[in-house]
Every structure is written in C-alpha cells, then in structure tokens.
C-alpha cells in the first residue's frame, strides 16, 4: 500500500487483535484464579460464576470434537457404495466419445486423436481416461492373451462399456429428475 493510504494495514490490525486477545486472556486468568477477596480489593464487585471458567473451555473442546465427527460422518454418508459405477466416474467426468467401428474407416480412436495425432506444439484437451484403459496400461493384457486367470473366462468392463453404462445412468438420473 501507498504510505498515503488512510486504510489500516494488515499488520496494524493483527497487532491490535494480538493486544486485545492478550488483555482478554489476562482478565480471564485474574477472574478464574483470584479469590473473591482479591477481586473486591481490586474494585470488581460483580463477575460471573466461577463454574464458567471450566464450562466454556470444556464446551469449546466438545464443539471442536463434534465438528470433526460431523465432517467424517458426512463424508462417509455421501460416499457411494463400492459396487456403484460412481466410484469410477461421476457426472463431472469428461469422457471422450467412442466412435462406432465402421468398415474401411480410418478415423483414429479419440484417445489417439487427442494426444498422438495432434501437432507437436498443440495442447491436448483435458479428459478422463476410461478405467479399462488405465487397467490395461498399468496391469497389461497378458493374462487374457495367455488364457490364465479369471480374466480369460470372464471379461472385465472395457472403457467403452464403462462410458455406455455411465451415460445410461446419467440419462436415468435426468429422466427421474424431470
């Protein structure tokens, strides 16, 4: 700020708040620790009951504990169940559309078109990766190719299937809200 600015600075406001809290703390300690005779000797005739010196800090601690518990309980309440597709994606996800395969069509897959096929200096658009693609990249496709494990007998969800189910669930939600 300019030196000619009449508004108080953050430093001066912080200093005043520090002094105010220090004075309030000293008054609290005098009130809670001094006997009635000392307070009357200092000229203080009326003051709240001393039980508030224990009740207010205890209630403050319990309020803080209740806030922590409430946030944890709220997060547990809004978490979708483990068998829900919303644990993989939600309505805010931007998934690239998967084109229908056509004979003789040389159109690249959208994941390739938005990353590999772009010019070198282009910034690809942000999008979410389908979980099937992430699993294939991280864990590989070797189990299915070799005929080992449960993946050879029972096919997992592909990226296209996840996108189709996600869009269908969003359409169902929008139809239910209309």
């Amino acid at each position: 700020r300019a030196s000619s600015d009449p508004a108080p600075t953050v430093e001066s406001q912080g200093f005043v708040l520090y002094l105010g809290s220090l004075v309030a703390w000293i008054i609290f300690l005098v009130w809670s620790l001094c006997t009635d005779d000392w307070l009357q000797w200092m000229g203080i005739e009326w003051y709240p009951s001393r039980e508030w010196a224990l009740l207010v800090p205890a209630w403050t601690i319990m309020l803080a504990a209740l806030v922590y518990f409430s946030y944890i309980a709220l997060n547990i309440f809004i978490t979708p169940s483990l068998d829900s597709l919303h644990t993989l994606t939600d309505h805010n996800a931007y998934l690239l559309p998967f084109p229908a395969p056509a004979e003789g069509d040389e159109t690249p897959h959208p994941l390739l078109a938005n990353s590999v096929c772009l010019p070198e200096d282009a910034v690809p658009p942000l999008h979410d990766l389908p979980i099937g693609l992430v699993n294939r990249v991280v864990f590989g496709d070797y189990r299915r190719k070799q005929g080992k494990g449960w993946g050879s007998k029972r096919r997992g969800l592909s990226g296209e299937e996840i996108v189709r189910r996600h869009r269908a669930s969003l359409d169902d939600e929008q139809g239910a809200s209309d």
Side-chain angles (χ1 to χ4, degrees), residues 2-172:
S3 60
S4 61
D5 192 2
T9 62
V10 174
E11 295 87 8
S12 62
Q13 291 173 349
F15 182 68
V16 169
L17 285 174
Y18 168 74
L19 287 180
S21 63
L22 183 64
V23 168
W25 177 247
I26 290 172
I27 290 172
F28 173 78
L29 286 179
V30 167
W31 164 68
S32 62
L33 298 178
C34 290
T35 62
D36 293 337
D37 296 334
W38 277 75
L39 290 175
Q40 289 175 359
W41 178 78
M42 286 188 274
I44 301 172
E45 303 263 337
W46 181 90
Y47 45 86
S49 174
R50 295 274 167 73
E51 65 185 19
W52 290 104
L54 294 175
L55 291 177
V56 171
W59 285 355
T60 305
I61 291 172
M62 290 308 296
L63 179 66
L66 178 67
V67 167
Y68 279 113
F69 174 77
S70 298
Y71 278 123
I72 291 170
L74 184 63
N75 282 325
I76 289 172
F77 178 71
I78 64 173
T79 302
S81 63
L82 290 177
D83 59 350
S84 171
L85 281 178
H86 292 291
T87 58
L88 302 177
T89 184
D90 62 359
H91 65 279
N92 295 318
Y94 174 66
L95 299 173
L96 295 174
F98 286 90
E103 288 187 37
D105 188 15
E106 295 296 324
T107 305
H109 191 276
L111 291 174
L112 292 174
N114 284 310
S115 57
V116 179
C117 299
L118 290 176
E120 286 185 26
D121 59 342
V123 177
L126 287 177
H127 60 274
D128 295 315
L129 296 174
I131 193 68
L133 175 67
V134 173
N135 285 338
R136 280 192 295 268
V137 169
V138 172
F139 302 113
D141 240 355
Y142 70 94
R143 290 180 151 241
R144 197 171 288 145
K145 290 177 185 173
Q146 296 175 354
K148 296 179 180 177
W150 64 271
S152 61
K153 295 181 177 54
R154 185 178 142 217
R155 186 173 172 267
L157 289 178
S158 65
E160 295 89 0
E161 180 66 16
I162 289 175
V163 170
R164 188 188 64 72
R165 287 188 182 185
H166 173 67
R167 291 199 173 126
S169 69
L170 289 179
D171 291 341
D172 292 344

